[in-house]
Amino acid sequence: MKLFVIVFILISQSLFAQAKRDSVLIETSVFTVMYSETLEQPLWIKYRSINRPTNVNRGHMTFYKEKNVHTSDDADYKANLWDKGHGAPAATFSDNTENLKQTFSYLNSIMQDQYLNRGEWRMLEEQERKWDDEEPLTVIIKTYFDKPIKRVPTGAAIPVYMDKHIYFEKSKKWRCYVFLNQKPKYMLSQLETVCQPNQHKLK
């Protein structure tokens, strides 16, 4: 009987591992994400930044796992230099508690160098909120990975770089930025790049 239970557990674990999806499209009330369960990271995240009022604050909110998607978790970010970087920014969706909480889903967490997350990445998020005072923005974040893929010991893949495509909906223009996933060596203004139309497409 013991042997049967052990075999059953091993088979179940194996089937669970095989069931991880390379990509799954999920739409929430705040953002749309193409998530990779095999990488435990988002492949891309899309959201709209509009002039929302700030009615609530994050307080002690923490990231949470989703029931039906295999994501990264707290263990992946423990005792290392990686931050749980927001894709769709918390401050952008602080108009109500439901929206703010949605940004703390691990679906929206990008494994980011702590200096990047708290530096130039944060600075661009703040700039977006200034721009959206004038017109709505559509923002696309894409993550890219090394081959072979680098992972933390607990399994989550580490993006080698991210880019951000910002579409100004009234002006009908794009601004694009590239971020190496490391301590920034350049100022935000130096990270802006020429937008390539084919890169705005989502798969």
Side-chain angles (χ1 to χ4, degrees):
M1 183 65 176
K2 275 187 177 180
L3 180 60
F4 173 80
V5 171
I6 292 171
V7 170
F8 176 78
I9 291 173
L10 290 174
I11 291 174
S12 297
Q13 291 176 339
S14 176
L15 289 173
F16 177 74
Q18 292 173 7
K20 290 181 185 176
R21 294 166 287 185
D22 289 331
S23 61
V24 53
L25 182 64
I26 299 163
E27 186 169 355
T28 76
S29 58
V30 166
F31 59 86
T32 302
V33 59
M34 183 69 79
Y35 199 88
S36 171
E37 293 181 318
T38 54
L39 298 175
E40 299 180 15
Q41 290 290 289
L43 300 176
W44 58 257
I45 295 172
K46 181 179 179 181
Y47 62 92
R48 289 186 77 230
S49 184
I50 62 176
N51 189 16
R52 296 179 177 87
T54 301
N55 295 323
V56 294
N57 63 69
R58 62 196 296 170
H60 298 291
M61 281 191 185
T62 57
F63 278 85
Y64 61 90
K65 295 185 66 176
E66 301 285 351
K67 289 182 179 179
N68 300 316
V69 187
H70 180 80
T71 64
S72 60
D73 56 34
D74 287 350
D76 294 308
Y77 302 87
K78 187 176 181 180
N80 58 35
L81 59 82
W82 306 109
D83 269 0
K84 303 167 186 175
H86 278 79
T92 300
F93 295 95
S94 295
D95 52 327
N96 63 61
T97 302
E98 182 181 349
N99 283 348
L100 178 59
K101 183 179 179 182
Q102 188 66 68
T103 70
F104 282 88
S105 166
Y106 270 114
L107 292 171
N108 190 46
S109 175
I110 303 170
M111 183 165 281
Q112 287 187 334
D113 179 278
Q114 59 187 344
Y115 294 103
L116 171 62
N117 182 46
R118 304 172 200 183
E120 272 61 25
W121 188 266
R122 176 185 58 81
M123 291 169 61
L124 183 53
E125 291 176 338
E126 292 175 356
Q127 183 60 57
E128 288 171 32
R129 289 191 289 278
K130 293 177 182 176
W131 286 332
D132 76 19
D133 290 344
E134 304 299 325
E135 61 181 296
L137 310 173
T138 295
V139 183
I140 297 169
I141 298 167
K142 291 185 177 182
T143 58
Y144 301 86
F145 300 85
D146 272 333
K147 292 183 179 180
I149 294 167
K150 295 178 181 177
R151 298 177 184 265
V152 292
T154 45
I158 305 168
V160 64
Y161 73 94
M162 292 78 66
D163 58 27
K164 227 179 196 188
H165 307 252
I166 304 171
Y167 181 65
F168 293 73
E169 296 181 8
K170 287 184 180 177
S171 305
K172 300 187 184 304
K173 67 177 183 179
W174 290 88
R175 296 185 74 162
C176 300
Y177 296 80
V178 177
F179 299 86
L180 293 177
N181 200 9
Q182 61 187 34
K183 187 174 182 178
K185 298 178 181 178
Y186 304 99
M187 295 184 296
L188 179 60
S189 59
Q190 296 172 293
L191 298 175
E192 187 168 5
T193 186
V194 176
C195 292
Q196 302 295 335
N198 63 317
Q199 294 180 339
H200 309 321
K201 296 178 181 179
L202 299 175
K203 297 179 181 179

